Amino acid sequence: SFPIHEWYAPGVTVEERVTRKIFQANTDRTEAWKERCPTEWQMSVALLSRDEKVGADDPLRMEGVQRQLEARRAHDTWESIGALSGRAVLVLGSSQDNITPPPIMENLVRRIGKSCESKLDFAWGHSFIAADTAAMPYVNEWLRKSSGPH
C-alpha cells in the first residue's frame, strides 16, 4: 500500500499531512474539487485535523507513531499470504483509493489464489466501507454465502 511513512517524514506539517491524506484517500478529490466543493473540503480538513490532534499532548505520541511505522515497514507477509489459498477470502477496494490502489489489491488476490473473491469497484475511495452504501450489504451477503453449508 502507500508508503505512509512519507506522511510523517521530517518537516511534514499536520496541515500538509491532512491535505495529502484527503487527496490520496479519494482520487476524485482534486484541486478542482476543492474549489468546487468548499464545504466538503472544510469538513474533510476538520475531520482529519481532529484525528491528528488525538494524543497530541502526549510526549510519547511521535515515538508511538515511529514505532508503528517501523513495525509496518518490517511487516512483509507476501511470502506467507499464499497460505490463505483454499480458504474463503474476500478482498474489497475502490478504484478511487490511492492509499491501497486496485493494482495492489489485484496482486493480493492473485497471490491468495482461486479461493479469493474480490470486488474492487466500490465508490468513495479509501473510506468506501463506510461511505458506499453498497459495501456492507455486499460483505453481509458474502459472509452469509461463505458461512453456509459446504
Side-chain angles (χ1 to χ4, degrees):
S1 63
F2 178 78
I4 292 172
H5 60 275
E6 291 179 10
W7 290 339
Y8 296 92
V12 175
T13 66
V14 169
E15 293 78 18
E16 290 170 321
R17 185 167 40 254
V18 164
T19 299
R20 289 179 186 181
K21 286 179 178 182
I22 291 169
F23 288 145
Q24 288 173 311
N26 187 334
T27 57
D28 287 346
R29 306 296 192 251
T30 62
E31 288 295 334
W33 168 83
K34 179 180 169 182
E35 297 301 319
R36 194 174 58 254
C37 305
T39 303
E40 193 173 345
W41 168 254
Q42 287 303 319
M43 180 188 69
S44 298
V45 168
L47 182 65
L48 268 73
S49 295
R50 185 185 69 194
D51 288 350
E52 287 287 331
K53 291 176 186 171
V54 172
D57 295 335
D58 187 333
L60 297 177
R61 179 177 189 264
M62 286 314 293
E63 179 182 336
V65 167
Q66 291 307 313
R67 285 182 179 187
Q68 193 170 20
L69 292 173
E70 282 301 314
R72 186 178 188 273
R73 217 177 267 130
H75 185 76
D76 184 357
T77 61
W78 188 249
E79 294 304 318
S80 60
I81 202 81
L84 292 173
S85 181
R87 296 177 185 243
V89 177
L90 178 62
V91 174
L92 304 174
S94 170
S95 60
Q96 298 151 312
D97 183 353
N98 207 23
I99 295 172
T100 312
I104 290 174
M105 304 305 282
E106 290 162 358
N107 287 338
L108 180 68
V109 169
R110 279 192 295 278
R111 182 73 174 170
I112 294 169
K114 62 184 173 188
S115 67
C116 184
E117 295 180 46
S118 65
K119 181 166 174 49
L120 304 174
D121 61 353
F122 286 105
W124 295 96
H126 197 68
S127 61
F128 74 89
I129 200 71
D132 188 326
T133 58
M136 283 311 298
Y138 185 90
V139 171
N140 288 334
E141 182 61 32
W142 184 85
L143 288 169
R144 285 183 178 88
K145 178 183 73 163
S146 294
S147 65
H150 296 284

